[in-house]
Amino acid sequence: MRTIPTRRRRPAPALGATALGAAGLLALTACGGSGFDEGGDTSSDGGSSGSLSVLIGSSGDAETDAVTAAVAAWSEESGVEATVQVASDLTQELSQGFASGDPADVFYVSADQFQTYASNGSLYPYGADLDAADDFYPSLVDQFTYDGELVCAPKDFSTLGLIINTSAWEAAGLTEADVPTTWEQLTDVAGRLTTDGQVGLGISGEYARVGAFLAQAGGTMTDAAGTEATVDSPENVEGLTYVQQLLASGSAAYAADLGTGWGGEAFGTGAAAMTIEGNWITGAMENDYPDVAYQVAELPAGPAGQGTLQFTNCWGVAADSSAQSDAVDLVQHLTAADQQLAFADAFGVMPSVQSAADGWKEMYPEMTAFIDSAAFAQNVVNARGAADVITDFNAQLEGLKTGDPAAILGSVQTNLQAVLDENAS
Amino acid sequence: MSSAVPAVSGTPAPGAAGDPTGRPGPGARRPRRSRRGRETTSGWLFLAPMLVILGLFLVVPVLMALWVSVSDWNGRGSPFAGDVSFVGVDNYRSLLLGGGLATQDFGTALRNNAYYVLLVVPAQTALALFLATLVNRKALRGRGIFRTAFYFPSVTSSVAITVLWLFLFSASGTVNAILARLSITGPNWFNEPRGVLHLLLAQVGVDTAPAALAQHGFLGIPLWEWAAGPSVAMTAFILLAIFTTSGTFMLLFLAALQAVSAEVEEAALVDGANARQRFFRVTLPMLKPTVFTVVTLGLIGTWQVFDQIYTGTQGGPAKTTLTPAYLSYTAAFQNNDWGRGAAIAFILFAIIVLMTVLQRVVLRERTTIPRRKRFHPEGPR
């Protein structure tokens, strides 16, 4: 019996251990706290030491390989090590990086996230350091300007064009001269292309496609200064009403209603004879629907002339990066005209610099409509917090066929104005 | 107890002196107390690793998130840095009372999830119990196979099974092909935002909102929208949840059923109870603790639904599969509105706690059996 208490006494020093454990816990939590703290003060030294990490959101192997090769070539030249990482969810990984104070040095920033990151100081504004800043398309520079300065260099851009299935076109008895240049002609050819099991025009039911019609009607989402929402303007109502008429006539349909995921799929599977997509569709056509012959035309003009939407990304450099000068140097290399043409060759993107436009047209003579559309392209809304508004707009657009265009635009107007007011305050 | 602790640490190091029972002291109670003290110590010692892990990975992050939910942290650097300020309940207020898009989204997410919970929890519980009674039968041949088959969806990755579901319920998918055989035109499941209740009401001619429902609202959305019911897309997710989780809960019910002794059943049989009475008046009341567990787990799981939404629809079509958990994720990670994201998470937490407490009250053990539930209505003789 006596041995039992003796044995049980062993844990006596364990109290110390428990206390130690508790202290350790405190120490660890303190660590956790301070780990969060780091980076706040490392931000400003723009030294040029260590290696660079590049975080990209890739469209596929072609893009990954091309970027990796370009970065490797720069490393060779500059002697600075750099690694390319592909994010599976770029927005999420960037957010985590900024929160931890240890983000990647160079990364893609999409236009709709740009204002958010620029406003909280996550991005290092280096536009002034670039040699060829004047060569970028002015509308792209607008997109990435915050507080009057160019924050990050446009990486490349895309515009929307009208994609036409040539065999369906011929089957409907249409010729080259029938390619629509006005809304009336678009209505007409869409009707003639509509057959049993094929609609004339199949598009994704979202602002990023439907918005092109608003631009053609002369509408915008905000005023030039970006402080007042102009969503419920008569021009926008006219544009959206036209889309509604197209949908109601049965000669146009949303891709989702055709049982497909996006316009390209509706087009590739033959559910739609025409679609409105950007130049990324070429990759999908090549991989998934190599047998479908198609041509690309500029979008038809509305009452206010031609209009389309453009989408772009920029090369962000982290404010918390410890190698900012190297990072800017890398971006300089990546946005040079010849490097952009190399990217264009590898995965079809359109260069963000005007001097490369002719080279691109030579490379893709059948796609010139896309790059020519840059002349009348409108930027998409990118105000901080506007992503929610656009999501809501998209949700409402799904019900456009039976909905009231003015009511839809009215609610978006209210929501967007609230966001803009909040940003201004 | 705590007074015993110094006594322990006050004793000489082990091995240096004899055991406490040999020491002169304030009587016979002392050794017992110090022994209990030592047990306490060793108890804490054994708990320590878990406390450290839980504290580090649960309590501390939860407290951090609580701070974020009442701060204006914008996602850059530490939420405890000097430039982050306390904004009180602003994030909560804009979510619940703001009336703007944030409130509307949150209201929509709550509505969607409420219908999801309302349909999934009772259905999965009933189905699980039904399956358990089936495979509990001794007469059933190949019980093992059935048990495995019913449990199988539970061990499959939810992402894989969601993708499978997307294919099954696509516009030209298997489900619609089967419906077509029955001369029914199936809906475009995951792209159909219309609510099931709205569709049913449209059948009886009510397709626009009555004025009373259109004008009044709650959390930024009109009552007519609250009454929409789950959308067709959400219905597909509801079926998915019932399909995948009933197997898990079947296992719990099966274990409980096997603990019900045959004598009880036999006694009821002798008393002249038929099969229906034996199940509802004898077996089911004995399974009450398991029902409580299953409903609790079901409530928690369904209020937190995220991965199916993330892989499947991302809130679409027309936001009808948006859930608070997914909304919290997008608010924080995609819109960098970390305060709002954290606030949504805490409101969701409050809802789950409330629901659990509520059902605990409803299902609590009563000392007397309500008259209508008695096998002998007059009471035991």
Side-chain angles (χ1 to χ4, degrees), chain A residues 45-241:
Chain A
D45 67 333
S48 50
S49 57
S51 63
L52 284 182
S53 61
V54 180
L55 187 70
I56 65 169
S58 178
S59 62
D61 288 344
E63 182 167 359
T64 309
D65 294 345
V67 175
T68 309
V71 170
W74 174 81
S75 282
E76 188 90 354
E77 209 174 283
S78 66
V80 179
E81 240 176 84
T83 49
V84 176
Q85 283 171 327
V86 179
S88 57
D89 187 333
L90 183 67
T91 316
Q92 181 189 325
E93 289 179 32
L94 277 181
S95 292
Q96 284 166 342
F98 293 138
S100 71
D102 185 25
D105 299 290
V106 179
F107 41 82
Y108 286 7
V109 177
S110 68
D112 58 340
Q113 292 288 338
F114 166 75
Q115 295 276 346
T116 310
Y117 295 147
S119 66
N120 71 15
S122 297
L123 300 179
Y124 168 66
Y126 61 85
D129 305 343
L130 290 173
D131 299 335
D134 301 338
D135 196 15
F136 294 117
Y137 286 93
S139 62
L140 298 180
V141 171
D142 278 354
Q143 186 79 294
F144 297 115
T145 298
Y146 184 80
D147 267 355
E149 71 182 322
L150 175 64
V151 174
C152 56
K155 182 171 78 71
D156 47 40
F157 76 114
S158 310
T159 58
L160 296 176
L162 185 67
I163 323 291
I164 298 168
N165 182 325
T166 42
S167 52
W169 191 259
E170 282 157 19
L174 295 163
T175 64
E176 189 65 24
D178 294 314
V179 172
T181 56
T182 64
W183 281 3
E184 292 72 31
Q185 292 172 7
L186 180 66
T187 311
D188 178 51
V189 296
R192 287 167 68 180
L193 284 166
T194 303
T195 61
D196 201 23
Q198 171 187 294
V199 295
L201 178 67
I203 57 171
S204 302
E206 53 182 329
Y207 160 68
R209 305 291 176 279
V210 173
F213 290 98
L214 307 188
Q216 288 154 19
T220 53
M221 298 294 275
T222 63
D223 64 356
T227 52
E228 295 291 325
T230 55
V231 186
D232 60 353
S233 65
E235 291 85 5
N236 280 341
V237 174
E238 189 181 5
L240 203 55
T241 307

Side-chain angles (χ1 to χ4, degrees), chain B residues 296-314:
Chain B
T296 308
L297 291 176
L299 275 177
I300 295 172
T302 48
W303 273 111
Q304 291 179 340
V305 57
F306 176 81
D307 33 3
Q308 291 91 330
I309 310 296
Y310 180 79
T311 26
T313 56
Q314 272 147 39

Side-chain angles (χ1 to χ4, degrees), chain A residues 90-417:
Chain A
L90 183 67
T91 316
Q92 181 189 325
E93 289 179 32
L94 277 181
S95 292
Q96 284 166 342
F98 293 138
S100 71
D102 185 25
D105 299 290
V106 179
F107 41 82
Y108 286 7
V109 177
S110 68
D112 58 340
Q113 292 288 338
F114 166 75
Q115 295 276 346
T116 310
Y117 295 147
S119 66
N120 71 15
S122 297
L123 300 179
Y124 168 66
Y126 61 85
D129 305 343
L130 290 173
D131 299 335
D134 301 338
D135 196 15
F136 294 117
Y137 286 93
S139 62
L140 298 180
V141 171
D142 278 354
Q143 186 79 294
F144 297 115
T145 298
Y146 184 80
D147 267 355
E149 71 182 322
L150 175 64
V151 174
C152 56
K155 182 171 78 71
D156 47 40
F157 76 114
S158 310
T159 58
L160 296 176
L162 185 67
I163 323 291
I164 298 168
N165 182 325
T166 42
S167 52
W169 191 259
E170 282 157 19
L174 295 163
T175 64
E176 189 65 24
D178 294 314
V179 172
T181 56
T182 64
W183 281 3
E184 292 72 31
Q185 292 172 7
L186 180 66
T187 311
D188 178 51
V189 296
R192 287 167 68 180
L193 284 166
T194 303
T195 61
D196 201 23
Q198 171 187 294
V199 295
L201 178 67
I203 57 171
S204 302
E206 53 182 329
Y207 160 68
R209 305 291 176 279
V210 173
F213 290 98
L214 307 188
Q216 288 154 19
T220 53
M221 298 294 275
T222 63
D223 64 356
T227 52
E228 295 291 325
T230 55
V231 186
D232 60 353
S233 65
E235 291 85 5
N236 280 341
V237 174
E238 189 181 5
L240 203 55
T241 307
Y242 173 68
V243 179
Q244 186 184 36
Q245 285 165 359
L246 271 183
L247 292 172
S249 72
S251 52
Y254 286 152
D257 294 328
L258 299 170
T260 53
W262 62 296
E265 190 184 346
F267 182 75
T269 53
M274 298 186 292
T275 189
I276 295 174
E277 283 294 339
N279 42 308
W280 52 78
I281 196 178
T282 54
M285 296 305 292
E286 207 170 292
N287 294 327
D288 301 338
Y289 314 103
D291 302 331
V292 179
Y294 62 96
Q295 74 173 86
V296 181
E298 290 174 19
L299 287 177
Q306 283 190 294
T308 187
L309 297 180
Q310 68 182 11
F311 308 92
T312 178
N313 281 299
C314 77
W315 288 107
V317 171
D320 289 338
S321 165
S322 54
Q324 283 165 348
S325 61
D326 283 341
V328 174
D329 196 43
L330 172 61
V331 173
Q332 190 101 268
H333 171 79
L334 293 172
T335 52
D338 52 346
Q339 182 56 54
Q340 291 215 44
L341 282 173
F343 285 149
D345 190 33
F347 54 99
V349 292
M350 298 201 297
S352 58
V353 288
Q354 300 175 51
S355 59
D358 289 334
W360 195 83
K361 285 186 198 175
E362 273 170 36
M363 203 178 284
Y364 294 105
E366 71 284 11
M367 303 285 162
T368 50
F370 283 126
I371 207 157
D372 289 340
S373 296
F376 49 85
Q378 202 180 82
N379 282 325
V380 291
V381 188
N382 71 342
R384 179 161 60 97
D388 275 349
V389 179
I390 297 305
T391 309
D392 187 65
F393 191 14
N394 290 341
Q396 295 198 53
L397 282 177
E398 287 177 39
L400 174 64
K401 197 170 170 180
T402 54
D404 173 12
I408 293 175
L409 292 169
S411 79
V412 177
Q413 164 80 19
T414 313
N415 292 333
L416 186 59
Q417 188 61 54

Side-chain angles (χ1 to χ4, degrees), chain B residues 85-116:
Chain B
S85 46
F86 177 72
V87 295
V89 292
D90 273 9
N91 289 317
Y92 292 90
R93 193 185 299 130
S94 78
L95 258 185
L96 297 173
L97 306 170
L101 195 57
T103 313
Q104 288 167 28
D105 281 351
F106 186 61
T108 310
L110 274 188
R111 177 206 55 187
N112 299 338
N113 213 338
Y115 280 113
Y116 182 83

Side-chain angles (χ1 to χ4, degrees), chain A residues 8 92 95 113 256 320 388, chain B residues 39 76 188 329 333-335:
Chain A
R8 283 204 181 164
Q92 181 189 325
S95 292
Q113 292 288 338
D320 289 338
D388 275 349
Chain B
E39 281 172 11
R76 176 162 180 246
N188 190 351
Y329 165 79
F333 283 95
Q334 294 185 355
N335 301 334

